[in-house]
Amino acid sequence: MDLSTGQPWPVNRHWRFTGWLLAAVWLFFLNVPLATALHQPELWRRVVGVVALVAFGIGYVLLFQWARKQRQTLRPIPAGRARAGLVLLLAVGLASMPGTGGDWLATLVYVAAASVFLLPPREALAVVLLCAVTPVLTSWLVPGWQAESGIVFAVLLASFAMFGVSQLAQRNSELRAAQQEIGRLAVAEERARAARDLHDILGHSLTVVAIKAELAGRLIQVDRDRAATEIAEVEALARAALSDVRQTVGAYREVTLAAELAGARSALAAAGIAADLPAEVPVLPDGWDRLFGWAVREGVTNVVRHSGARCCTVRVHPDGVEVSDDGRGPSTPDANGHGLVGLRERARELDAVVSVGRRPDGSGFLLRVHAPAEAR
């Protein structure tokens, strides 16, 4: 069953045919009672025997297919319907007796096998034992019927084989359910990652847009050329944000440390915050370069939004990156916001550590992403 929709999985034509064949192939062993019915001297006995055996075979296949479908969709087999089906199957087998005589006992093999597939273990065991002792008991009770040791063996062998088939069908159904759940969780994880990236990308871009628009509003009366420059930068940032969103929707946007440092310089300048940024960055593996880039983006965004700082400092080392400011400190709305949650998720993928607090001198805000030596 598809766990996301609650609908049964589609079954292709090959597997539908295989299911019918798996049930029908065993009907070959009804050849003995069928031959007995065909050789009856009286027409009515021949008709009754053949019709009953054909109906028995069709009923067995339909019952098996119904139970198989229930198992494939991980739905429980209704015990009442299963018992009724077995009783009806047994009744049709008994109805063949006028044409098959003692050979009708071959139908008990199918009744026993069906009970293993349909009933709970204890009930199935009881039915199998009853089917196994019936040939022995009837040889004592019915004159002219011989003890059918072969039927007893066939009942036990078919029941054991059907137990294996039922266990295999159950495990296959559980495996398909597990695969479906894994697929659903993978889709949910991808959606969460896309939402996280959109938050981080738009949060930074829109913050800078808002600051530059506010600055342009203040300058429009005193310095129209500078205001026009800021408006042009707002337009460029808006277009870049739109491009980022498109890239994120189509494929995750590639973030690099160098690009984020350049963006941080522009954002801090627009906010009127002095920027102390490294002129060069060390060569890092792709995963760490991306992670440090996200750390700079998140740290600078929080500085611009909430810190009230006058200066922001970024330090990059081969094993870590730090973003600090001289503002109000970590008691800001985003101290544990979505951006830091997303950053921690990315850091966990590389066994890195994200720490948030005050600078060593007790002032301002410090965001640090550190890669332990064993993780590098």
Side-chain angles (χ1 to χ4, degrees), residues 105-162:
L105 293 170
T107 62
L108 294 177
V109 177
Y110 300 92
V111 173
S115 70
V116 173
F117 203 72
L118 291 170
L119 298 178
R122 291 185 179 180
E123 293 185 34
L125 179 60
V127 173
V128 170
L129 293 177
L130 184 61
C131 291
V133 301
T134 296
V136 179
L137 292 177
T138 54
S139 67
W140 295 344
L141 300 174
V142 180
W145 285 12
Q146 296 179 352
E148 295 285 351
S149 59
I151 295 296
V152 175
F153 177 75
V155 165
L156 297 177
L157 181 61
S159 300
F160 181 76
M162 187 57 74

Side-chain angles (χ1 to χ4, degrees), residues 324-371:
S324 62
D325 63 61
D326 59 355
R328 288 186 289 267
S331 58
T332 60
D334 267 11
N336 291 292
H338 295 293
L340 288 177
V341 170
L343 183 61
R344 289 189 175 98
E345 290 175 357
R346 293 186 178 90
R348 277 197 295 269
E349 295 175 1
L350 297 176
D351 294 328
V353 178
V354 177
S355 59
V356 176
R358 293 186 179 276
R359 297 191 300 184
D361 61 4
S363 64
F365 179 86
L366 173 64
L367 168 65
R368 186 167 186 259
V369 177
H370 174 67

Side-chain angles (χ1 to χ4, degrees), residues 28 53 72 76 117 124 150 167 208 258 266 273 288 303 336 344:
F28 171 79
L53 289 174
Q72 282 181 333
F117 203 72
Q167 292 300 304
V208 178
S266 174
I273 300 175
W288 295 105
V303 170
N336 291 292
R344 289 189 175 98

Side-chain angles (χ1 to χ4, degrees), residues 13-50:
R13 297 173 62 183
H14 167 73
W15 284 111
R16 283 200 294 267
F17 174 76
T18 302
W20 284 101
L21 183 62
L22 184 63
V25 69
W26 299 103
L27 298 179
F28 171 79
F29 295 102
L30 288 176
N31 66 330
V32 173
L34 183 61
T36 301
L38 290 173
H39 288 86
Q40 289 292 337
E42 299 177 63
L43 178 61
W44 74 271
R45 289 184 183 276
R46 289 200 300 271
V47 172
V48 169
V50 171

Side-chain angles (χ1 to χ4, degrees), residues 253-310:
R253 176 177 179 265
E254 191 69 19
V255 172
T256 64
L257 178 58
E260 294 306 320
L261 286 172
R265 189 180 304 277
S266 174
L268 292 170
I273 300 175
D276 182 3
L277 307 180
E280 298 181 357
V281 296
V283 178
L284 300 167
D286 288 344
W288 295 105
D289 188 81
R290 262 192 312 273
L291 175 62
F292 290 174
W294 282 114
V296 170
R297 171 182 282 264
E298 176 60 24
V300 171
T301 299
N302 283 339
V303 170
V304 171
R305 280 181 176 175
H306 310 297
S307 69
R310 291 171 296 175

Side-chain angles (χ1 to χ4, degrees), residues 49-112:
V50 171
V51 171
L53 289 174
V54 171
F56 180 89
I58 294 174
Y60 172 76
V61 172
L62 292 177
L63 194 61
F64 180 85
Q65 282 295 96
W66 170 72
R68 182 169 174 265
K69 184 177 180 181
Q70 295 291 115
R71 287 180 178 272
Q72 282 181 333
T73 56
L74 293 181
R75 290 180 293 192
I77 297 175
R81 293 184 183 181
R83 296 189 192 103
L86 287 174
V87 170
L88 182 60
L89 197 65
L90 178 61
V92 175
L94 287 169
S96 71
M97 195 183 303
T100 59
D103 289 335
W104 82 273
L105 293 170
T107 62
L108 294 177
V109 177
Y110 300 92
V111 173

